[in-house]
Amino acid sequence: MMIRDPIHGDIHLSSWATRVIDTRAFQRLRGIRQLGTAYLVYPGCHHTRFEHSLGTYWVAKQIMNHLWAAGSSELTQADAGQLEGVALAALLHDVTHVPFGHTLEDEWRLFPRHDTGARLRHVFSEEIGELLDRMGVLSFVHRLLDPREPFEWPWAREIVSGTVDADLFDYVRRDARFAGLRMDYDDRIVSNFIIAEGRLALNLVKGGRERADVRSEFFHMLHMRYVLTERLYYHHAKIASSAMVARMVEWGAEGEGITEEQLLGWGDAELLEALRRMGEKDGRIGRMLDRLARRGLFKRGVEVYPGDLSPEQRIRWVQGLREPDARRRLERWIARRLGCGEDEVILYCQAETFMKEVDARCLTADGVKPLGEAGVTTELEVRLLEQKYRDLWRLYVLVPPEWRERCREHREPILKALDEAAEAPSG
């Protein structure tokens, strides 16, 4: 099958991939937006995990084609079924995602991460697993996708879920395009991967000399990812709208019981419809859903930035204020202080933001090294990007627009309460 993709052009699918795509579990991904509530900020961001998964499959195939053409023994000695298994793993890397997954799992920690072994076993116990089993690659794909399982080809796992992988190359380009951010990378960067010491690496040398063009293009792509993080993933309105969804799901889980198993069968629309039904009985959910529907988003009543705290304070705040019970106690305290309802305060404390690509393996004139140690110029660029990522950290007290000014008037006692809670998060 051939599918026309707005990002990569024509994507050619094997017969195996075509059968996987036609399963119910994979088709569900059409209903899960890649970027959750980002469409409330960037109206074009309605792209889904379905097309992102197709793109990741295609990039993984391109990387393997280049490795094959370069004569990598790891590929030339593998059989066709195993190589197709790597591509299928790339295709299925997001099949266990739930609606608003990163919000519910990573930011608010209401459910386990999508790549946990239990969730993968659940999905593979049904139609997709039966299909992979008939293809003879079920165990291979399962072990490749589960990070806790031993796998014989580290390079293959790194193509699918490494520090710099097919997933990254697709979503950086796709998210930028649909957000309307005019930036792109050169496709030739994908052809510079090699397998060194059994693992995937970016080749930064030719004839014993550094390839400045490869290095600069790689950093260009990493800069694209930073810009997306700064302007899109951590946009304050995106954070506020995501926090509102998380709060409704949190209430729903406490009340009628939104479960992980239910989420695995839903898309965005099904989750919002379930919340609508709950909102008929639970006024908190009904009011929040109404605000979200008319884009009446919560606003930043208190904002804390990296320069407002010492590095030691920030570590304490992240460790203490992201703990759910401590967060709820503080929200109730702030609501009483302001005189508003307990359902009208959301404390958002961001996790520390790291640049995982610092560990990307690179072949240099002095051997294979992590990106952060791959030469003086490279190291300087890495340190600069690392600092920029650290500077993205935020803490917000989010309240409805009508309570914003009153919240700002109480900034100092709120900050004092936050610092005291961070000192003793379990108290």
Side-chain angles (χ1 to χ4, degrees), residues 305-427:
Y305 296 89
D308 299 330
L309 304 173
S310 69
E312 294 75 22
Q313 268 186 303
R314 186 168 67 181
I315 291 172
R316 285 194 293 104
W317 282 39
V318 170
Q319 291 176 344
L321 305 184
R322 283 176 57 79
E323 195 273 319
D325 289 339
R327 173 174 56 80
R328 294 187 190 100
R329 286 195 298 271
L330 282 164
E331 288 168 346
R332 290 194 293 270
W333 183 90
I334 294 170
R336 290 195 299 271
R337 179 90 190 189
L338 300 181
C340 65
E342 291 184 3
D343 59 333
E344 295 181 297
V345 176
I346 301 176
L347 176 62
Y348 170 83
C349 183
Q350 188 174 301
E352 288 277 19
T353 304
F354 297 104
M355 178 187 166
K356 68 172 186 174
E357 292 82 8
V358 69
D359 294 323
R361 299 175 75 255
C362 301
L363 178 62
T364 72
D366 296 322
V368 178
K369 294 186 176 183
L371 178 65
E373 302 172 13
V376 175
T377 304
T378 301
E379 290 174 33
L380 290 173
E381 292 187 81
V382 167
R383 302 296 170 249
L384 177 61
L385 263 178
E386 283 187 308
Q387 184 59 52
K388 291 174 73 173
Y389 270 105
R390 284 193 290 269
D391 289 344
L392 290 176
W393 180 85
R394 300 288 186 267
L395 179 141
Y396 298 141
V397 176
L398 300 165
V399 293
E402 58 268 26
W403 289 101
R404 185 179 191 179
E405 289 308 314
R406 183 165 176 78
C407 190
R408 289 182 169 181
E409 292 169 2
H410 289 260
R411 173 183 169 85
E412 293 308 315
I414 289 174
L415 291 181
K416 181 180 178 182
L418 293 174
D419 196 49
E420 290 175 350
E423 286 280 7
S426 60

Side-chain angles (χ1 to χ4, degrees), residues 99-153:
F100 307 100
H102 285 305
T103 294
L104 302 181
E105 297 167 7
D106 300 324
E107 292 184 81
W108 294 91
R109 297 182 291 177
L110 301 180
F111 298 96
R113 277 184 54 87
H114 71 278
D115 53 6
T116 60
R119 196 180 291 183
L120 196 61
R121 285 193 297 274
H122 174 82
V123 172
F124 279 9
S125 70
E126 301 177 333
E127 183 185 10
I128 284 181
E130 294 172 3
L131 183 57
L132 293 176
D133 192 34
R134 290 201 301 271
M135 296 174 181
V137 294
L138 175 58
S139 175
F140 183 90
V141 172
H142 193 166
R143 286 184 291 108
L144 195 161
L145 287 175
D146 190 339
R148 293 172 298 186
E149 291 286 340
F151 191 71
E152 55 270 30
W153 292 348

Side-chain angles (χ1 to χ4, degrees), residues 27-156:
Q27 288 293 318
R28 181 184 69 96
L29 299 180
R30 290 183 185 271
I32 300 179
R33 291 187 184 91
Q34 175 77 5
L35 297 178
T37 59
Y39 68 95
L40 293 171
V41 182
Y42 294 89
C45 285
H46 283 277
H47 56 299
T48 71
R49 296 206 171 270
F50 178 86
E51 53 261 39
H52 164 61
S53 296
L54 295 180
T56 302
Y57 165 86
W58 187 240
V59 175
K61 295 276 279 191
Q62 299 312 301
I63 293 174
M64 288 195 291
N65 287 342
H66 287 299
L67 293 174
W68 179 279
S72 298
S73 59
E74 289 83 355
L75 274 80
T76 56
Q77 294 174 8
D79 64 53
Q82 290 174 314
L83 295 180
E84 184 62 20
V86 177
L88 292 176
L91 182 67
L92 291 167
H93 80 285
D94 272 354
V95 74
T96 53
H97 252 289
V98 299
F100 307 100
H102 285 305
T103 294
L104 302 181
E105 297 167 7
D106 300 324
E107 292 184 81
W108 294 91
R109 297 182 291 177
L110 301 180
F111 298 96
R113 277 184 54 87
H114 71 278
D115 53 6
T116 60
R119 196 180 291 183
L120 196 61
R121 285 193 297 274
H122 174 82
V123 172
F124 279 9
S125 70
E126 301 177 333
E127 183 185 10
I128 284 181
E130 294 172 3
L131 183 57
L132 293 176
D133 192 34
R134 290 201 301 271
M135 296 174 181
V137 294
L138 175 58
S139 175
F140 183 90
V141 172
H142 193 166
R143 286 184 291 108
L144 195 161
L145 287 175
D146 190 339
R148 293 172 298 186
E149 291 286 340
F151 191 71
E152 55 270 30
W153 292 348
W155 61 268

